[in-house]
């Protein structure tokens, strides 16, 4: 274990390749455990198709499922799923780095570079300290979430202590890591009127999805917004904007829908709408029946899932930082400014190119995958687009067609979850074996745009 991270980096030439390979290995190991007969309630192997898809969904912290988690998987299988979600949430290289530190007390340059690629830290000198803080912070948040949920299941629903603790820990892990796995066939719909369950799960998802660098900076300077970095300002501002906008849109759209918000009282409607606005950010639970929502609400959910959560967090999507910076880039272009400024800082051109690349790759991937899935299944565009974006954004929400898209569809969704977890740009870097440096510049020529 001491040489695990450096050995991986010696095998692959680019840190991004290690991240991609680490997630692939975790999926393979998880599938090998879930395919065992002991992993199912009936004591019969679930088969490789269900095992691989479930492992991919857990490691990529998505939550899309082919079978009901509680009734199909045994306690062993559920523990494997929770462990895979924990590994996927923290990041393969983050865990490998921590293990290396614990065993040797040292962290080599190659391992630090790999951990930097996974945690998206801005300085390699901070990797060792940050990685340890990430693990401790994650475990503390999960413990706090588990304590609240356990107490609620124990006092409010009469569950025995052992069962209440199990439910609390499982859902704390899957909520904080944005995995979206629930031990009830209706996700959390039965708790739609319970603020203890809904708000606790939502809070865990929000904190996990903000991104660890942002959370740590807020902990240090939450009373001094002027000292926040551009990353924190964009993440907090864009996240708050999307949460408020999503809540309002769901309230307006679903207020009278008899199958969703209609039967609830005013306060519960607001809470349910807020919860529904939080979950597309990659958390994957639902308290409303997604299949019964209006198509306009599906579109809102599609947009929220595509944007996702904060960088270096447990959420997926193109990230709120990417979305926020893209808005500044567009605004600067509309104003005819030659530089993109955010507050009192200038956005580097390299970062601007990354923003545009990630967005274009995401849109292209969603468009191509939607076309492919439409060709493979009899389902309509609304449902297929929802499923594709949910997989790409590792959101885990579904209109109910996941199990009905066929083997080819399941492979496509699994690939989308994998790409969505490690990031389009990271995957592209992993596939680029050599980095080319152009030693000359070609003559410039202006081209008509638009």
């Amino acid at each position: 274990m001491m040489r695990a991270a450096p050995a991986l980096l010696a095998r692959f030439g680019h840190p991004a390749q290690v991240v991609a390979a680490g997630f692939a290995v975790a999926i393979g190991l998880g599938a090998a455990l879930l395919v065992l007969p002991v992993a199912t309630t009936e004591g019969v192997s679930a088969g490789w198709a269900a095992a691989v898809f479930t492992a991919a969904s857990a490691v990529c912290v998505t939550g899309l499922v082919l079978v009901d988690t509680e009734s199909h998987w045994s306690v062993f299988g559920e523990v494997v799923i929770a462990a895979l979600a924990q590994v996927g949430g923290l990041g393969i290289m983050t865990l490998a780095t921590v293990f290396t530190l614990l065993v040797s007390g040292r962290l080599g340059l190659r391992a630090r570079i790999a951990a930097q690629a996974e945690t998206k830290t801005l300085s390699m000198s901070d990797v060792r300290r940050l990685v340890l803080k990430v693990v401790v912070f994650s475990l503390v948040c999960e413990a706090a979430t588990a304590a609240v949920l356990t107490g609620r299941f124990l006092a409010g629903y009469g569950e025995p202590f052992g069962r209440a603790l199990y439910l609390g820990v499982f859902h704390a892990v899957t909520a904080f890591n944005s995995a979206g796995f629930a031990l009830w066939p209706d996700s959390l719909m039965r708790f739609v009127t319970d603020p203890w369950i809904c708000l606790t799960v939502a809070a865990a998802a929000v904190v996990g999805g903000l991104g660890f660098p942002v959370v740590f900076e807020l902990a240090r300077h939450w009373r001094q917004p002027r000292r926040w970095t551009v990353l924190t300002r964009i993440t907090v501002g864009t996240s708050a904007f999307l949460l408020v906008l999503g809540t309002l849109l769901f309230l307006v759209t679903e207020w009278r829908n008899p199958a969703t918000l209609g039967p609830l009282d005013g306060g519960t409607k607001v809470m349910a709408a807020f919860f529904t606005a939080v979950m597309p950010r990659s958390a994957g639970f639902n308290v409303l029946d997604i299949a019964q929502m209006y198509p306009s609400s599906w579109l809102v959910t599609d947009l929220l899932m595509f944007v996702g959560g904060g960088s270096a967090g447990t959420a997926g999507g193109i990230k709120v930082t990417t979305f926020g910076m893209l808005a500044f880039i567009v605004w600067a272009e509309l104003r005819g400014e030659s530089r993109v400024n955010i507050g009192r800082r200038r956005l580097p051109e390299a970062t601007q190119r990354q923003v545009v690349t990630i967005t274009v790759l995401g849109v292209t991937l969603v468009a191509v995958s939607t076309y492919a899935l439409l060709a493979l299944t009899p389902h309509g565009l609304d449902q297929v687009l929802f499923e594709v974006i949910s997989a790409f954004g590792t959101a885990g929400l579904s209109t109910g067609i996941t199990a009905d898209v066929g083997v080819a569809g399941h492979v496509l969704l699994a690939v989308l979850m994998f790409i969505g977890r490690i990031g389009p740009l990271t995957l592209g870097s992993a596939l680029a074996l050599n980095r080319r440096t152009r030693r000359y510049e070609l003559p410039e020529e202006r081209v008509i745009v638009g």
Side-chain angles (χ1 to χ4, degrees):
M1 183 63 68
M2 173 169 40
R3 303 183 181 275
L8 277 174
L9 274 167
R11 172 66 180 83
F12 296 97
H14 195 288
Q17 292 177 310
V18 182
V19 176
F23 276 94
V25 169
I27 292 172
L29 293 176
L33 292 175
L34 290 176
V35 81
L36 298 174
V38 71
T40 65
T41 55
E42 297 181 355
V44 179
S45 175
W48 282 104
V52 171
F53 188 91
T54 303
S57 184
V59 172
C60 299
V61 290
T62 304
L64 291 176
V65 295
L66 301 184
V67 294
D68 177 58
T69 303
E70 193 274 336
S71 62
H72 184 83
W73 302 110
S74 64
V75 172
F76 173 82
E78 292 168 0
V79 170
V80 169
I81 290 172
L84 293 175
Q86 183 74 80
V87 170
L90 286 177
I92 302 298
M93 286 315 303
T94 301
L95 290 177
T97 302
V98 172
F99 291 153
T100 302
L101 284 171
L102 291 177
V103 174
S104 67
R106 295 176 299 171
L107 186 59
L109 178 61
R110 286 181 175 271
R112 288 166 64 187
I113 294 174
Q116 182 188 29
E118 169 59 28
T119 59
K120 306 294 190 303
T121 52
L122 301 179
S123 172
M124 281 199 303
S125 62
D126 295 332
V127 171
R128 172 174 176 160
R129 177 174 53 86
L130 178 61
V131 165
L132 291 177
K133 287 177 64 177
V134 165
V135 174
V136 173
F137 175 77
S138 299
L139 295 179
V140 169
C141 287
E142 290 172 1
T145 304
V148 175
L149 294 179
T150 299
R152 185 56 181 164
F153 291 133
L154 189 64
Y157 297 92
E159 295 283 358
F161 177 76
R163 176 65 177 173
L165 179 62
Y166 179 73
L167 292 173
V169 172
F170 183 92
H171 292 95
V173 171
T174 57
F176 180 79
N177 291 289
S178 301
F181 284 88
L183 296 181
W184 298 278
D186 60 355
S187 189
L188 301 182
M189 288 174 58
R190 64 188 62 194
F191 305 113
V192 65
T193 60
D194 191 334
W196 287 97
I197 302 295
C198 292
L199 296 182
T200 300
V201 171
V206 168
V207 173
L210 275 178
F212 298 114
V214 172
V215 171
F216 295 154
E217 185 171 348
L218 289 176
R220 292 194 305 268
H221 306 302
W222 67 276
R223 291 183 177 180
Q224 301 169 302
R226 291 185 178 181
R227 299 184 62 181
W228 293 358
T229 61
V230 172
L231 172 66
T232 299
R233 292 182 180 183
I234 292 180
T235 301
V236 174
T238 308
S239 297
F241 170 76
L242 292 176
L243 283 178
V244 172
L245 180 63
T247 301
L248 293 176
L249 289 176
F250 285 127
L251 279 174
V252 170
T253 307
E254 299 292 327
W255 186 273
R256 298 185 182 278
N257 187 341
T260 56
L261 293 181
L264 306 176
D265 60 59
T268 305
K269 285 181 179 180
V270 174
M271 182 178 68
F274 171 76
F275 187 93
T276 305
V278 170
M279 293 303 114
R281 309 294 303 287
S282 190
F285 297 100
N286 62 282
V287 293
L288 302 178
D289 190 348
I290 302 295
Q292 299 300 320
M293 294 170 66
Y294 293 131
S296 52
S297 294
W298 286 352
L299 178 60
V300 173
T301 307
D302 287 341
L303 297 175
L304 293 176
M305 291 190 298
F306 184 76
V307 173
S311 298
T314 59
I318 64 171
K319 308 299 185 182
V320 293
T321 44
T322 303
F323 179 76
M325 287 188 289
L326 183 64
F328 279 100
I329 293 172
V330 172
W331 180 243
E333 189 64 29
L334 291 176
R335 297 183 63 181
E337 297 179 353
S338 59
R339 297 287 186 268
V340 179
N341 299 320
I342 302 177
R344 297 185 178 181
R345 294 292 185 269
R346 177 171 56 87
L347 196 64
E349 292 184 2
T351 304
Q352 297 177 43
R353 289 196 299 270
Q354 289 179 339
V355 167
V356 174
T357 301
I358 290 175
T359 304
V360 172
L361 283 177
V363 171
T364 303
L365 187 62
V366 167
V368 172
S369 301
T370 300
Y371 174 84
L373 201 58
L374 280 172
L376 293 171
T377 69
H379 301 292
L381 175 60
D382 288 343
Q383 291 176 303
V384 168
L385 180 63
F386 192 101
E387 202 78 10
V388 167
I389 296 179
S390 179
F392 170 74
T394 67
L397 298 173
S398 176
T399 59
I401 68 170
T402 308
D404 302 324
V405 297
V407 176
H410 294 152
V411 173
L412 175 62
L413 292 177
V415 172
L416 281 171
M417 290 187 290
F418 181 79
I419 295 175
R421 178 61 185 100
I422 65 175
L425 198 60
T426 302
L427 182 63
S429 300
L431 296 177
L433 298 179
N434 296 309
R435 238 177 165 180
R436 299 181 180 179
T437 302
R438 189 179 294 273
R439 302 183 182 277
Y440 60 90
E441 291 292 338
L442 298 174
E444 185 179 272
E445 178 178 346
R446 290 189 175 275
V447 181
I448 298 176
V449 177

